[in-house]
């Protein structure tokens, strides 16, 4: 394991008063780690690995393109991210039109997702990338058409008002409400049971339909294989009789058999062609009884089912046919009053729930569009996966307070500036539970060691008094990251963080406390937030919040983040894919010419609004580091 140099022997002090031990132990080869879960909704489904680290102050590799040499990362992984999950028996729409329970999906399966295409969202086939399970407090969402979906509170559904959380843990997250109309095709029909009536109807439809063709029958294929199996338990003469009062099962079987003999499918369309008008009348009767729209032009030898995705899926699901592949690619996503939310109920139970990640970032759960979880690549060198683990398996250095004091007191530590928030945010949601930063700040204050913090977390305001005290004895650089103001873009790419407006409110409070706050205009997203209008609007708001400088930072795409962002971009803004290929190619950074152009436009906006544009090194205002002590040289980047 690459964790072998990370942990020190345990001493038993791992926050026993704050959490209950999780069971069973983690499947990680990390001797001495304590594994915990919490009952609070904000941390449902998350696992925290409490370790006693050997070191806290981390040396930055010399090749890194950052203007500092030392960092502190009390966490690995980030609870800013969210997980979204559903009950395992939730039927998921496969790419061929069939359904499968969520619990039974596996990576590589082809399912149906959606993507934006101009002003309309459309269905597209996509691939399951990952599949996992967890246990979380469960909610039941009931729709007007009777659909019932059991999910976690942080699951998101697509509605006419955008993505909505079932029961959000954060106040800035948009909540699903009674009356919201979900988007999708509506509840999937239950598959047929192969009852006696279904089998009789199937044989009747297949054999009688085949007889209407007036040509030598081709007794092969799936339909005839099923017929051979059914006829073993049922005399054929009995099956061929028209029942006086057909049951629903009989109608389902009859349509499946009729399709096997005279049916055809093409994308969404289903047609039956026969010269026997009486037989076609029976087909129309069966479709009507099952609530399926049909069309039979006068004196025509063809019956057609309505050419829409709802009808195409419902016919397939009601009848159980397997030889009519569906192609819904490009069909527009719609909603309607039957998909209005009628009730949201907290079940008061913790249930096993499941989730997948897909190429489009969503999937169709029992007829409605559902968001899935994407995670980044930063856990891979911990022998954790690059998907769900980053968001839900957080490594916590619970001895951070004692480590920082020991390392700052080491004879060879010369008081170099330390940057925090450079890998994962030190003020992520987990900090509200573990409270590691107050001890770290107090130690830096007591040793008068200069430091800086870059964050998106408004939780930093909790430690305002400590920051003020530290600033009286050493240099403290504080910076917020605010790349844009557009709420739609924020919800799409940073939904687990406080909103840009809340971050600017925090800038104002820190400024009022006497700090000179630099704002990192980051990330600037090519084609999305790099317009003059977006830059000017964001810089104006930064200036109004009292910031003293603004530093532009165009998007850079490291491995892991690159794949996540590329997937999001191609499904939401496919028209920009060529532009990003041109800018980034196979690298992580945009060309110098693009960066210079954006920097110049930010500089002009800063001058218009009375802001001096900081250089990249100014935002932390740190001195050049001196030669590190021998002990600190052995600190790891973790």
């Amino acid at each position: 394991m690459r964790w072998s140099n990370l942990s020190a022997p345990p001493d038993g002090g791992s926050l026993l008063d704050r959490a209950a031990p999780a069971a069973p132990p983690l499947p990680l080869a990390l001797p001495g780690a304590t594994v915990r879960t919490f009952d609070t909704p904000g941390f449902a489904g998350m696992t925290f690995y409490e370790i006693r680290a050997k070191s806290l102050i981390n040396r930055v590799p010399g090749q890194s393109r950052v203007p500092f040499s030392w960092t502190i990362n009390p966490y690995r992984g980030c609870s800013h991210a969210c997980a979204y999950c559903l009950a395992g028996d939730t039927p998921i729409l496969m790419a061929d039109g069939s359904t499968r329970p969520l619990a039974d999906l596996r990576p590589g399966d082809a399912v149906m997702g959606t993507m934006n295409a101009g002003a309309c969202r459309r269905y597209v086939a996509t691939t399951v990338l990952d599949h996992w399970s967890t246990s979380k407090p469960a909610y039941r969402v009931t729709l007007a058409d009777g659909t019932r979906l059991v999910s976690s509170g942080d699951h998101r559904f697509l509605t006419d008002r955008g993505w909505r959380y079932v029961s959000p843990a954060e106040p800035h997250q948009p909540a699903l409400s009674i009356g919201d109309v979900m988007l999708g095709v509506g509840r999937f029909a239950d598959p047929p049971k192969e009852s006696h009536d279904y089998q009789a109807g199937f044989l009747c439809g297949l054999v009688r339909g085949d007889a209407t063709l007036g040509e030598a029958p081709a007794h092969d294929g799936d339909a005839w294989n099923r017929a051979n199996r059914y006829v073993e338990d049922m005399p054929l003469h009995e099956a061929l009789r028209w029942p006086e009062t057909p049951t629903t099962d009989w109608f389902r079987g009859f349509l499946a058999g009729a399709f096997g003999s005279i049916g055809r499918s093409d994308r969404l369309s289903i047609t039956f062609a026969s010269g026997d008008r009486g037989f076609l009348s029976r087909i129309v009767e069966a479709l009507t009884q099952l609530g399926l729209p049909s069309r039979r032009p006068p004196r025509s030898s063809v019956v057609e089912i309505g050419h829409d995705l709802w009808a195409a899926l419902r016919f397939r699901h009601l009848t159980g046919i397997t030889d009519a592949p569906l192609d819904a690619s490009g069909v527009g996503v719609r909603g309607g009053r039957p998909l209005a939310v009628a009730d949201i109920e907290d079940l008061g139970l913790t249930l096993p729930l499941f989730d997948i990640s897909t190429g489009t970032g969503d999937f169709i759960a029992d007829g409605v569009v559902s968001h899935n979880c994407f995670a980044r690549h930063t856990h891979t060198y911990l022998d954790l996966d690059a998907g769900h683990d980053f968001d839900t398996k957080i490594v916590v250095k619970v001895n951070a307070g004692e480590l920082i004091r020991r390392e700052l007191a080491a004879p060879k530590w010369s008081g170099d500036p330390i940057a925090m928030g450079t890998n994962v945010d030190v003020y992520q949601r987990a900090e509200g539970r573990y409270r590691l930063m107050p001890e770290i700040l107090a130690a830096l204050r007591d040793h008068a060691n200069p430091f800086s913090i870059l964050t998106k977390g408004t939780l930093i305001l909790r430690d305002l008094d400590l920051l003020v005290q530290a600033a009286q004895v050493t240099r403290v650089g504080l910076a917020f990251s605010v790349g844009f103001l557009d709420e739609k873009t924020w919800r799409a790419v940073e939904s687990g963080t406080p909103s840009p407006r809340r971050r600017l409110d925090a800038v104002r409070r820190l400024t009022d406390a006497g700090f000179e706050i630099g704002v990192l205009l980051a990330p600037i997203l090519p084609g999305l937030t790099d317009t003059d209008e977006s830059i000017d609007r964001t810089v104006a708001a930064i200036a109004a919040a009292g910031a003293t400088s603004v530093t532009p930072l165009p998007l850079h795409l490291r491995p892991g983040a690159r794949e996540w962002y590329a997937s999001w971009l191609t499904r939401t803004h496919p028209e920009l894919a060529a532009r990003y290929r041109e800018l980034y190619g196979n690298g992580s950074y945009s060309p110098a010419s693009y960066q210079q152009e954006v920097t110049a436009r930010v500089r002009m906006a800063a001058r218009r609004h009375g802001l001096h544009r900081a250089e990249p090194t100014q935002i932390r205002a740190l001195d050049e580091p001196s030669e590190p002590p021998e002990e600190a040289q052995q600190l790891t980047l973790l």
Side-chain angles (χ1 to χ4, degrees):
M1 287 291 294
R2 284 169 280 177
W3 295 55
S4 56
N5 69 336
L6 176 62
S7 61
D11 65 359
S14 42
L15 303 180
L16 290 174
D17 58 327
R18 304 185 197 174
L26 270 183
L28 292 177
L30 184 60
T34 300
V35 185
R36 302 201 183 278
T37 59
F38 299 97
D39 294 333
T40 54
F43 299 109
M46 300 183 68
T47 303
F48 293 86
Y49 303 92
E50 298 176 0
I51 64 167
R52 297 190 57 79
K54 292 180 179 178
S55 59
L56 188 69
I57 302 176
N58 310 313
R59 186 173 182 84
V60 178
Q63 68 271 23
S64 296
R65 295 173 58 171
V66 292
F68 48 85
S69 296
W70 299 95
T71 69
I72 288 176
N73 293 300
Y75 301 95
R76 181 62 64 195
C78 187
S79 54
H80 273 330
C82 301
Y84 318 97
C85 40
L86 292 163
D89 60 354
T90 305
I92 305 303
L93 183 61
M94 309 302 288
D96 63 1
S98 62
T99 67
R100 190 180 303 171
L102 177 57
D104 294 344
L105 291 177
R106 292 295 179 266
D109 287 341
V111 299
M112 193 67 72
T114 74
M115 66 180 295
N116 281 335
C120 179
R121 182 178 289 266
R122 299 186 182 279
Y123 292 100
V124 294
T126 187
T127 303
V128 175
L129 303 177
D130 198 5
H131 179 275
W132 60 87
S133 63
T134 186
S135 293
K136 306 183 82 170
Y139 294 76
R140 180 165 53 217
V141 179
T142 303
L143 307 185
D145 69 350
T147 301
R148 289 181 172 84
L149 295 151
V150 175
S151 77
S152 64
D154 50 16
H155 189 81
R156 282 190 282 174
F157 293 104
L158 185 59
T159 74
D160 54 353
R161 297 193 299 136
W163 293 103
R164 291 287 183 256
Y165 292 82
V166 172
S167 179
E170 301 288 340
H172 64 273
Q173 295 172 335
L176 190 68
S177 301
I178 304 298
D180 283 346
V181 175
M182 291 191 183
L183 300 188
V185 294
R187 182 181 182 182
F188 297 143
D190 294 329
K193 297 178 181 178
E194 293 188 75
S195 63
H196 181 276
D197 282 356
Y198 177 87
Q199 295 182 16
F202 184 91
L203 290 170
C204 181
L206 182 69
V207 175
R208 283 183 175 271
D210 189 72
T212 69
L213 295 176
E215 57 189 43
H219 291 172
D220 55 10
D222 179 69
W224 287 101
N225 290 334
R226 291 174 68 182
N228 290 334
R229 178 160 48 89
Y230 293 164
V231 80
E232 291 178 0
D233 300 320
M234 183 182 308
L236 188 57
H237 69 274
E238 176 185 335
L240 292 179
R241 288 199 298 263
W242 297 109
E244 294 184 6
T245 55
T247 64
T248 298
D249 279 359
W250 190 92
F251 281 128
R252 288 188 179 204
F254 173 72
L255 287 174
F259 181 84
S261 58
I262 64 170
R264 299 291 183 272
S265 65
D266 181 18
R267 284 181 57 81
L268 300 184
S269 69
I270 296 288
T271 59
F272 298 87
S274 172
D276 187 333
R277 294 186 179 180
F279 189 71
L280 291 180
S281 296
R282 294 281 187 174
I283 291 174
V284 171
E285 178 187 359
L287 291 170
T288 302
Q289 289 294 324
L290 296 180
L292 288 166
S294 63
R295 175 176 173 270
R296 181 186 177 190
R299 295 182 296 279
S300 171
S301 60
V302 174
V303 171
E304 299 176 323
I305 295 177
H307 290 190
D308 66 82
L309 183 57
W310 176 86
L313 289 174
R314 195 158 185 83
F315 176 81
R316 286 165 171 78
H317 299 164
L318 284 171
T319 61
I321 60 172
T322 59
D323 53 352
L326 174 141
D327 180 7
S329 297
V331 175
V333 180
R334 299 178 178 84
R337 295 313 305 174
L339 299 185
V341 176
D343 189 34
I344 303 172
E345 178 186 2
D346 184 348
L347 296 180
L349 299 170
T350 297
L351 299 177
L353 301 172
F354 297 80
D355 194 16
I356 57 174
S357 64
T358 70
T360 60
D362 63 2
F363 56 96
I364 315 302
D366 206 0
V368 296
V369 183
S370 298
H371 200 287
N372 70 207
C373 177
F374 267 87
R376 271 62 65 203
H377 195 60
T378 59
H379 262 23
T380 54
Y381 59 86
L382 303 181
D383 290 327
L384 295 173
D385 68 58
H388 190 53
D389 287 350
F390 178 81
D391 293 336
T392 62
K393 295 182 178 179
I394 311 298
V395 179
V396 185
K397 301 176 185 178
V398 295
N399 59 335
E402 63 186 72
L403 277 178
I404 185 66
R405 289 191 178 276
R406 187 186 74 197
E407 292 172 358
L408 291 176
K412 292 187 178 182
W413 177 252
S414 58
D416 293 331
I418 295 173
M420 290 179 279
T422 59
N423 189 11
V424 296
D425 201 330
V426 295
Y427 282 106
Q428 59 178 281
R429 283 183 295 144
E431 171 60 18
R433 169 71 67 170
Y434 281 95
R435 300 181 63 86
L436 301 181
M437 284 302 294
E439 299 176 71
I440 293 171
L441 294 177
L444 291 166
R445 174 202 63 194
D446 295 346
H447 287 267
N449 200 105
F451 65 89
S452 68
I453 299 173
L454 172 63
T455 185
K456 295 178 182 178
T458 55
L459 184 60
I460 191 175
L461 297 175
R462 180 201 64 191
D463 297 337
L464 182 55
D465 289 345
L466 278 169
L467 293 169
V468 170
Q469 294 167 18
Q472 293 171 351
V473 297
T474 190
R475 286 177 297 105
V476 176
L478 301 181
F480 263 81
S481 173
V482 183
F484 42 80
L485 296 184
D486 183 71
E487 184 169 316
K488 183 178 180 181
T489 304
W490 162 65
R491 295 189 188 285
V493 298
E494 296 182 341
S495 63
T497 65
S499 72
R501 292 292 184 186
R502 290 182 62 204
R503 285 178 245 168
L504 291 175
D505 289 342
V507 170
R508 167 56 65 190
R509 287 192 56 185
L510 291 166
T511 299
D512 291 344
F515 289 96
E516 293 187 356
I517 306 300
V519 172
L520 199 63
L521 191 65
I524 298 174
L525 308 177
L528 296 173
T529 65
D530 63 349
T531 64
D532 288 338
E533 179 184 7
S534 176
I535 289 174
D536 188 78
R537 181 168 168 245
T538 306
V539 171
I542 290 170
T548 58
S549 65
V550 59
T551 300
L553 184 63
L555 176 72
H556 66 276
L557 296 170
R558 304 177 197 173
R562 180 186 184 92
E563 289 77 13
W564 174 87
Y565 187 81
S567 176
W568 173 81
L569 184 78
T570 53
R571 73 175 184 272
T572 56
H573 298 283
E575 72 281 1
L576 293 177
R579 173 66 170 152
Y580 275 77
R581 285 194 295 270
E582 176 187 349
L583 283 174
Y584 291 94
N586 295 320
S588 297
Y589 294 89
S590 56
S593 58
Y594 174 80
Q595 296 185 43
Q596 292 165 2
E597 175 196 342
V598 170
T599 298
R601 289 194 281 129
V602 172
R603 181 186 298 118
M604 289 187 288
R607 287 174 177 168
R608 282 195 300 272
H609 297 287
L611 272 177
H612 168 65
R613 186 190 67 86
E615 296 300 327
T617 54
Q618 286 181 288
I619 201 154
R620 295 176 180 86
L622 303 180
D623 295 332
E624 288 298 318
S626 59
E627 191 64 26
E630 181 178 350
E631 179 183 359
Q633 286 179 338
Q634 300 177 15
L635 302 177
T636 70
L637 253 182
L638 185 66

